[in-house]
Amino acid sequence: MKDQFRRLKYACYSTNVSMSIVSNLSPVLFLTFREMYGISYSLLGLLVLINFVTQLSVDLVFSFFSHKFNIPKIVKATPALTAGGLIVYALWPVFSPSSAYLGLVIGTVLFSASGGFAEVLITPVIAAIPSDNTERETSKLHSVYAWGVVFIIIFATLFLYFFGRENWSMMVLILTAIPLIAFILYLGADIPKMATPEKVSGVLTPMKDRALWMCVTLIFLGGATEVAMAQWSSGYLEQALGIPKVLGDIFGVAFFSVMLGLGRTLYSKFGKSVEKILLLGVIGAALCYASAAFINNAYLGIIICAVTGFCVSMLWPGSLIVAADKFPGSGVFIYAMMAAGGDL
């Protein structure tokens, strides 16, 4: 592999770790914001909605107007936007506690926009790099996101436990180093050319194809299956099974993410027949959810959370692989449409 592609891969991997920060930071800090700034649960939940709506908006814009943008420049600027959003998110409440929520919203919009850019563009960047097996490279990229979630959850949980919730902003500033590293790596990397529709009308033909909407529905359901356990496993273990919050975060969200990363890593090493993997994954996930609904044993609950992570591990990247195979040459458009379905 040429040096510039190796550097580019590392930049993409660190960008995906940054995405794991963007997607999981606010829920980890909900209780901290509630106690320190008196922000209501409704407004805290709204931060998650703002995150996904912002990402969805970016996805939709790129679905129709990707030909209007300078793709390489946006790829390289994405981690800088992430870092900027995290800095606003961390420092605004410190310097203006009375308007803390406004700062959290502005920071969330900024780093969520970067998350939308990353969702749409990083996978096609990896797909455009010469490789013997693009499917496995895609799975490896998404495994990095899952391992990033493991790191973020454990780091944040332990940091707040040992240094106190009042130092949460310092924790966020430390995490800002990850997108800054990605930004530096991109500076010396060449971005491969990616296909985009020449005009808006160029996206109308594939949008008339039922196969496209089947793929979008697939990632919609896959994303929902993944995020339900990812967001609720900590609360499930704590409230339903009586496990303390620190252990619920580590053994719930983090353990789920470990198995999520393991499934994607295994596919990146040995994977084939992605359609079969998807079928087995959805059957396994359905059985895990049914088991979680009826089992009230704490140890079994932890195991179910973990196995669910393994079962859903390929639903998102697998959906992207299927869509890319169904619509070869569609470039950024198909990834933007699939990202929109997943965020929705």
Side-chain angles (χ1 to χ4, degrees):
M1 185 194 307
K2 294 181 180 179
D3 288 342
Q4 68 267 29
F5 288 145
R6 184 179 294 110
R7 185 185 182 100
L8 179 59
K9 276 192 173 184
Y10 291 147
C12 291
Y13 295 156
S14 51
T15 300
N16 254 25
V17 176
S18 300
M19 280 184 63
S20 66
I21 300 173
V22 167
S23 299
N24 295 277
L25 183 61
S26 288
V28 171
L29 293 171
F30 275 175
L31 190 57
T32 297
F33 295 154
R34 172 70 176 167
E35 292 181 352
M36 290 185 64
Y37 306 110
I39 301 173
S40 70
Y41 289 119
S42 298
L43 290 178
L44 291 172
L46 187 60
L47 289 176
V48 177
L49 180 62
I50 291 170
N51 185 340
F52 280 106
V53 168
T54 303
Q55 292 189 49
L56 178 61
S57 300
V58 172
D59 299 339
L60 292 174
V61 168
F62 264 81
S63 296
F64 293 95
F65 303 104
S66 59
H67 58 287
K68 298 286 188 182
F69 296 92
N70 186 318
I71 302 297
K73 286 185 177 179
I74 292 179
V75 170
K76 293 183 176 184
T78 292
L81 184 60
T82 306
L86 290 172
I87 290 171
V88 172
Y89 190 93
L91 295 183
W92 188 303
V94 174
F95 291 103
S96 182
S98 61
S99 61
Y101 187 73
L102 176 61
L104 296 177
V105 169
I106 294 173
T108 297
V109 169
L110 291 174
F111 62 58
S112 298
S114 74
F117 291 136
E119 271 190 331
V120 172
L121 298 175
I122 302 307
T123 301
V125 167
I126 289 291
I129 295 175
S131 169
D132 294 332
N133 193 314
T134 303
E135 290 186 11
R136 291 184 179 181
E137 292 297 331
T138 298
S139 182
K140 185 186 296 184
L141 175 70
H142 286 267
S143 73
V144 170
Y145 171 85
W147 294 119
V149 175
V150 176
F151 163 73
I152 297 306
I153 297 300
I154 293 178
F155 173 76
T157 300
L158 295 179
F159 185 97
L160 296 175
Y161 181 78
F162 286 108
F163 296 100
R165 290 173 175 167
E166 65 275 10
N167 292 310
W168 70 270
S169 59
M170 183 60 66
M171 180 194 76
V172 176
L173 291 176
I174 292 172
L175 292 174
T176 305
I178 297 174
L180 290 177
I181 290 171
F183 177 71
I184 293 170
L185 288 171
Y186 277 128
L187 291 179
D190 295 325
I191 309 295
K193 183 174 177 59
M194 290 172 281
T196 60
E198 294 183 2
K199 49 187 177 180
V200 175
S201 59
V203 308
L204 298 180
T205 299
M207 291 188 73
K208 295 176 183 177
D209 192 329
R210 285 186 297 177
L212 172 66
W213 296 107
M214 287 292 289
C215 289
V216 171
T217 302
L218 178 64
I219 201 168
F220 168 83
L221 295 173
T225 303
E226 177 183 326
V227 79
M229 186 63 82
Q231 294 285 342
W232 287 97
S233 57
S234 178
Y236 162 68
L237 293 174
E238 182 183 356
Q239 298 296 327
L241 303 181
I243 294 176
K245 176 171 174 53
V246 172
L247 296 180
D249 284 344
I250 292 177
F251 288 105
V253 183
F255 205 9
F256 170 90
S257 299
V258 165
M259 298 302 285
L260 191 73
L262 179 62
R264 293 173 179 178
T265 301
L266 288 174
Y267 190 88
S268 72
K269 296 292 185 182
F270 312 107
K272 56 183 179 179
S273 304
V274 69
E275 291 88 354
K276 255 184 214 181
I277 298 295
L278 290 172
L279 179 59
L280 292 173
V282 296
I283 292 172
L287 292 174
C288 286
Y289 276 109
S291 301
F294 295 106
I295 290 176
N296 61 0
N297 180 282
Y299 297 105
L300 286 177
I302 291 173
I303 293 172
I304 289 168
C305 287
V307 175
T308 306
F310 189 79
C311 291
V312 304
S313 60
M314 284 304 296
L315 297 189
W316 188 292
S319 301
L320 292 175
I321 291 169
V322 169
D325 287 343
K326 293 288 184 185
F327 298 92
S330 57
V332 172
F333 164 74
I334 190 64
Y335 291 104
M337 283 296 295
M338 293 295 285
D343 280 336
L344 186 61

